[in-house]
Amino acid sequence: MFDAKKFVENSLKDIRKIVGEHRVISACSGGVDSTVTTVLVHKAVGDRLVAVFIDDGLRREGEPEFVVKTLKSLGIRTKFIDAKKEFFAVFKGKTDAEEKRKAFRDKFYKTLGKAAKEEQIEFIAQGTIKADIIETVKGIKSQHNVLEQIGISPESYGYKILEPLKELFKPDVRKVARELGLPKEISERMPFPGPALSLRVLGEVTPEKIAVVRKATEIVEDETKALGTFQNFAVLHNDKATGIKEGKRVYGNIVTVRIVDSEDAVTAKAGKVPHKILMRIAERITGEIPSVVRCLYDLTDKPPATIEFE
Amino acid sequence: MFDAKKFVENSLKDIRKIVGEHRVISACSGGVDSTVTTVLVHKAVGDRLVAVFIDDGLRREGEPEFVVKTLKSLGIRTKFIDAKKEFFAVFKGKTDAEEKRKAFRDKFYKTLGKAAKEEQIEFIAQGTIKADIIETVKGIKSQHNVLEQIGISPESYGYKILEPLKELFKPDVRKVARELGLPKEISERMPFPGPALSLRVLGEVTPEKIAVVRKATEIVEDETKALGTFQNFAVLHNDKATGIKEGKRVYGNIVTVRIVDSEDAVTAKAGKVPHKILMRIAERITGEIPSVVRCLYDLTDKPPATIEFE
């Protein structure tokens, strides 16, 4: 049995020992992993931690405001970085999934590195968990926060990495969040990938396409709150399909709804969702987003699919 | 109430009056519309009709053989044209849905026109039905066999058009098929578009992609035989997505399953199919087709979607 209290005690000691008198920066996306990491480090080193929220333009509706407000309410020194334009610029012309991930990762580390320099810190704290490491090492995904595991030296970016959760799986991270007294919106928060909505736009990532998938995501989350599933989201395809809007043939967007049950994201089951709920989601997505003519539901378990599309 | 017997009687008279002593060619795809047309014309003018089956490489598994065998067993003079290479050649480099339809239509009429010249015929019989005309005129689809309605002169191709079913909707066509004593495999046959599997491959049509969607179609049809739905099929996306095969990350194909209920194809409802059946289809498609990592289900009614994707 995992003992969250004991884990927190040991973590605080470890972090203090590793960090010493240095300063730490923590990139907090608002997800449970990065928020628990941020709070743990804050508890360990106090104001020698600065949390940064990088607004890459790829977040869910209202998320930047929510995360910054939450961190400040916990008494954590927080820096907001508006990098929307820069992120969209690096995605320009890139359609390959792996290229997009790499472009995101590179821009993320550069942005963070710049902030780290300004703050004169030595350590970057990251919310890497065990599943990320397993899958990156196996070659199943290229996670943006497990540089060490894939043989990239974090020193080349100019800092050291602190990963207090790297031995934990998701359910244990949630236990730690509860132990730390974090609000439910954090401790029970649905997983959301580092590169965020950029993975949920197939093909080139543009502000227009992100706006479509952001709205679709909002509808899916709104209609599936009561399901208790592990992860619920929307994906915007690059392919188009024919449809009929206002009596005329149009060539419009396709959105896929993905709902999965999982313990730890290493394997997952396609959710068995009542037909009525799926139809309501499809009606809302095609009704409320003018460019969308088709709504699909992903029937595939992991494996053979992954949870995300890219 | 539609009287199929009366319709057949009147049709035979009309066809004889229009055709006179000329010769007729009928392009029969094996669908209920074109087969009923072929059989009606054969009944009216006997051996002055030649049926042709154009193998465009876009048909379902086993279909060319089945259609030719059926026509011959009905005593109809039948010509088989192998045009697979020529059709794939015209699709080369074309990714736009409307361009693909036009390329198909043009190649179809040229192939048929050539056969018509060889057979020295004056009339081409076609299985156009009322729904095709309504939708083409409304601009919802560009049907390949309703040239007259969209203002293209069939004479420019060198022949006259005979469309004995153009006042009927699908359920009445099936009644006529039963009245004519056609086998159930024809009279109850699921609708299948003229441009066939080419509409079910998003993006460029290649022999490899047709092979994938043909296999997926076979699986969908096999698993949904008992549902009694109007149309059940598979679509291969041009987009790719990540998946896991044999423990390794791969970037593979996406297939969508489309099952709809409809009376006449003018409107349609996304089928309410038991979760177990959908999951079995997804497992078979991702399990039996090596390149496919994801299987989706289309939740959209018509409107706002169309039945087919292109």
Side-chain angles (χ1 to χ4, degrees):
Chain A
M1 245 322 256
F2 175 73
D3 183 340
K5 204 175 161 186
K6 194 91 199 145
F7 175 84
V8 171
E9 281 173 25
N10 290 338
S11 265
L12 296 183
K13 270 187 250 165
D14 288 348
I15 294 168
R16 285 185 192 119
K17 202 163 80 185
I18 295 169
V19 172
E21 289 306 306
H22 293 297
R23 292 162 56 84
V24 188
I25 202 168
S26 175
C28 184
S29 67
V32 63
D33 303 339
S34 69
T35 309
V36 167
T37 300
T38 303
V39 174
L40 269 179
V41 177
H42 179 249
K43 267 191 171 333
V45 307
D47 268 358
R48 277 186 289 122
L49 169 80
V50 60
V52 299
F53 179 86
I54 299 174
D55 188 358
D56 47 27
L58 307 170
R59 301 289 132 189
R60 282 177 288 199
E61 188 64 32
E63 196 151 56
E65 299 76 11
F66 169 78
V67 177
V68 170
K69 208 185 90 194
T70 304
L71 291 172
K72 287 190 173 165
S73 77
L74 292 166
I76 297 169
R77 201 153 58 90
T78 303
K79 189 169 178 162
F80 176 89
I81 301 175
D82 182 350
K84 290 197 283 284
K85 274 190 194 160
E86 296 166 47
F87 274 85
F88 283 120
V90 302
F91 283 125
K92 201 153 182 167
K94 292 192 177 63
T95 55
D96 176 76
E98 205 52 23
E99 247 183 62
K100 282 157 65 182
R101 267 198 193 259
K102 286 193 172 116
F104 177 88
R105 187 166 57 195
D106 195 54
K107 177 48 78 183
F108 178 84
Y109 276 98
K110 279 190 180 142
T111 308
L112 197 56
K114 202 174 149 231
K117 212 167 257 176
E118 287 166 12
E119 293 286 329
Q120 296 180 290
I121 63 94
E122 281 233 324
F123 284 90
I124 296 209
Q126 292 201 121
T128 313
I129 65 170
K130 188 115 182 173
D132 301 328
I133 294 176
I134 291 174
E135 300 219 312
T136 301
V137 171
K138 274 168 119 184
I140 288 165
K141 68 178 165 186
S142 140
Q143 190 72 10
H144 81 281
N145 53 355
V146 279
L147 296 178
E148 285 181 295
Q149 284 68 30
I150 54 172
I152 297 175
S153 156
E155 279 80 10
S156 69
Y157 287 99
Y159 44 76
K160 288 171 190 159
I161 298 285
L162 189 64
E163 290 174 326
L165 309 183
K166 70 178 170 187
E167 298 299 328
L168 305 193
F169 283 103
K170 191 71 88 183
D172 293 338
V173 176
R174 297 200 191 281
K175 283 179 197 154
V176 175
R178 289 176 213 127
E179 173 66 28
L180 291 169
L182 295 183
K184 263 201 167 170
E185 291 100 311
I186 299 286
S187 67
E188 315 311 317
R189 200 171 187 77
M190 198 163 277
F192 193 59
L197 297 176
S198 72
L199 301 186
R200 296 177 180 173
V201 162
L202 306 188
E204 191 183 0
V205 176
T206 65
E208 295 72 29
K209 286 161 89 180
I210 290 291
V212 169
V213 81
R214 179 179 286 130
K215 179 68 192 164
T217 300
E218 214 186 337
I219 293 169
V220 171
E221 290 182 351
D222 187 35
E223 295 292 338
T224 58
K225 266 183 289 204
L227 291 181
T229 36
F230 183 76
Q231 210 169 334
N232 314 332
F233 61 91
V235 171
L236 174 62
H237 292 246
N238 194 36
D239 288 332
K240 304 234 170 179
T242 49
I244 304 168
K245 289 236 168 158
E246 291 163 16
K248 282 285 163 204
R249 175 195 173 92
V250 294
Y251 202 47
N253 279 320
I254 306 171
V255 165
T256 287
V257 176
R258 177 84 161 140
I259 298 174
V260 296
D261 284 314
S262 177
E263 279 299 313
D264 53 16
V266 174
T267 62
K269 287 266 165 213
K272 185 178 171 180
V273 181
H275 183 73
K276 219 170 147 179
I277 293 179
L278 292 179
M279 292 308 287
R280 189 167 155 73
I281 293 172
E283 271 165 36
R284 284 194 59 193
I285 287 178
T286 56
E288 297 175 24
I289 311 176
S291 69
V292 180
V293 296
R294 236 169 245 272
C295 186
L296 315 177
Y297 183 68
D298 194 336
L299 302 171
T300 339
D301 295 339
K302 173 182 181 179
T306 45
I307 294 179
E308 301 283 344
F309 271 53
E310 293 201 334
Chain B
M1 245 320 257
F2 175 73
D3 182 341
K5 203 176 162 184
K6 194 89 200 149
F7 174 84
V8 171
E9 280 172 25
N10 290 338
S11 266
L12 296 184
K13 269 187 249 167
D14 288 349
I15 294 169
R16 284 183 194 123
K17 202 161 80 186
I18 296 169
V19 172
E21 289 306 307
H22 293 297
R23 291 161 58 84
V24 188
I25 201 168
S26 175
C28 184
S29 68
V32 62
D33 304 340
S34 68
T35 309
V36 167
T37 299
T38 303
V39 173
L40 269 179
V41 177
H42 179 250
K43 266 191 173 331
V45 307
D47 267 358
R48 276 184 290 122
L49 169 80
V50 60
V52 299
F53 179 87
I54 299 174
D55 188 359
D56 46 27
L58 307 169
R59 302 290 132 188
R60 284 177 287 198
E61 187 64 32
E63 196 152 55
E65 298 76 11
F66 169 78
V67 177
V68 170
K69 207 184 91 193
T70 304
L71 291 173
K72 287 191 173 165
S73 77
L74 292 165
I76 297 170
R77 203 152 58 88
T78 303
K79 189 168 178 164
F80 177 88
I81 302 174
D82 181 350
K84 290 196 282 285
K85 275 192 194 159
E86 296 166 46
F87 274 84
F88 283 122
V90 301
F91 283 125
K92 202 153 183 169
K94 292 194 177 62
T95 55
D96 177 75
E98 204 55 21
E99 246 183 65
K100 282 158 66 183
R101 268 197 193 259
K102 285 193 173 119
F104 177 88
R105 188 168 55 195
D106 195 52
K107 178 47 80 185
F108 178 84
Y109 276 98
K110 279 191 181 142
T111 309
L112 197 55
K114 201 174 149 232
K117 213 167 257 175
E118 286 167 12
E119 292 286 330
Q120 295 181 290
I121 63 94
E122 280 233 324
F123 285 89
I124 296 208
Q126 292 201 122
T128 313
I129 66 169
K130 188 114 182 172
D132 301 329
I133 294 178
I134 291 173
E135 300 218 312
T136 300
V137 171
K138 273 168 118 183
I140 289 165
K141 68 176 164 185
S142 141
Q143 190 71 11
H144 81 281
N145 53 355
V146 280
L147 297 178
E148 285 181 293
Q149 283 69 31
I150 54 171
I152 297 176
S153 157
E155 280 80 13
S156 69
Y157 288 100
Y159 43 76
K160 287 170 191 160
I161 298 284
L162 188 65
E163 290 174 326
L165 309 182
K166 71 177 169 188
E167 298 299 327
L168 305 192
F169 283 104
K170 190 71 88 184
D172 293 339
V173 177
R174 297 201 192 281
K175 283 179 198 155
V176 175
R178 289 175 212 126
E179 173 66 27
L180 291 169
L182 295 184
K184 264 202 167 167
E185 292 100 311
I186 298 287
S187 66
E188 313 312 316
R189 200 172 187 78
M190 199 162 277
F192 193 59
L197 297 175
S198 73
L199 301 185
R200 295 176 180 174
V201 162
L202 306 187
E204 191 183 0
V205 177
T206 65
E208 296 72 29
K209 286 161 88 179
I210 290 290
V212 170
V213 80
R214 179 178 287 131
K215 179 69 190 163
T217 301
E218 213 185 338
I219 294 169
V220 172
E221 291 183 351
D222 186 35
E223 294 293 336
T224 59
K225 266 183 289 202
L227 291 180
T229 36
F230 183 77
Q231 212 169 332
N232 314 333
F233 60 91
V235 172
L236 174 62
H237 291 246
N238 194 36
D239 288 333
K240 304 233 171 180
T242 48
I244 305 167
K245 290 237 169 159
E246 290 162 16
K248 281 286 163 203
R249 175 196 173 89
V250 293
Y251 201 47
N253 280 320
I254 307 172
V255 165
T256 286
V257 176
R258 177 81 160 142
I259 298 175
V260 297
D261 284 314
S262 177
E263 279 299 314
D264 53 17
V266 173
T267 63
K269 287 268 164 211
K272 185 178 172 183
V273 180
H275 183 72
K276 220 169 145 180
I277 293 180
L278 292 178
M279 292 308 287
R280 186 166 158 74
I281 293 173
E283 272 165 34
R284 285 194 58 192
I285 287 178
T286 56
E288 297 175 24
I289 311 176
S291 69
V292 180
V293 294
R294 237 169 243 271
C295 185
L296 316 176
Y297 183 68
D298 192 337
L299 302 170
T300 338
D301 294 338
K302 172 182 181 180
T306 46
I307 294 178
E308 301 283 344
F309 272 51
E310 293 202 334

